[in-house]
Amino acid sequence: MADDCLFCKIVSGGIPSAKVYEDDLCYAFDDIEPEAPVHTLIVPKQHYDNLQDGVPAELLGHLLSVVPQVAKAKGVYESGYRTVINTGPDSAATVPHLHLHILGGTKMGRFTFEGSARDGASAAE
């Protein structure tokens, strides 16, 4: 656990959260600034900054195996959901603790990005 990490404090119970799922390796809770009607985060209990921090493949597999369970718990298993992992400064990550976003509860469009052809701007700008 990193002493100054927000998600480590949530996992340890030092900061309250709306728990959705928990096991020996991970903890899932609802995002306090949701980007969709369903926006739940799955975090490993052991601190890793992001995917580039030597995360064991077994742990990554476990985190991904929990996603459908969380989707069922949140009522989006049948309708569909999006799973996202942000890594690095261009990803818009805000907490340096590896986490998976599960987003759902609404019909989602395709991803668009700043400067992408889809948002009407030139990627070269």
Side-chain angles (χ1 to χ4, degrees), residues 11-112:
V11 167
S12 72
I15 295 176
S17 65
K19 180 170 87 169
V20 174
Y21 174 91
E22 183 175 16
D23 64 27
D24 291 343
L25 299 176
C26 66
Y27 184 79
F29 57 97
D30 289 330
D31 195 304
I32 62 167
E33 295 180 351
E35 303 269 344
V38 170
H39 189 169
T40 301
L41 306 177
I42 302 174
V43 302
K45 288 185 173 180
Q46 183 173 346
H47 182 90
Y48 294 94
D49 284 345
N50 57 45
L51 283 174
Q52 299 171 345
D53 197 17
V55 184
E58 298 80 21
L59 178 59
L60 288 173
H62 179 73
L63 295 172
L64 288 171
S65 76
V66 168
V67 171
Q69 296 176 63
V70 170
K72 285 179 185 176
K74 297 303 294 182
V76 296
Y77 182 82
E78 295 295 328
S79 60
Y81 52 92
R82 180 173 289 163
T83 306
V84 176
I85 302 173
N86 295 315
T87 300
D90 285 351
S91 72
T94 58
V95 178
H97 183 124
L98 175 64
H99 55 285
L100 287 73
H101 297 258
I102 293 103
L103 301 142
T106 188
K107 179 81 171 168
M108 288 183 248
R110 297 179 71 174
F111 277 126
T112 58

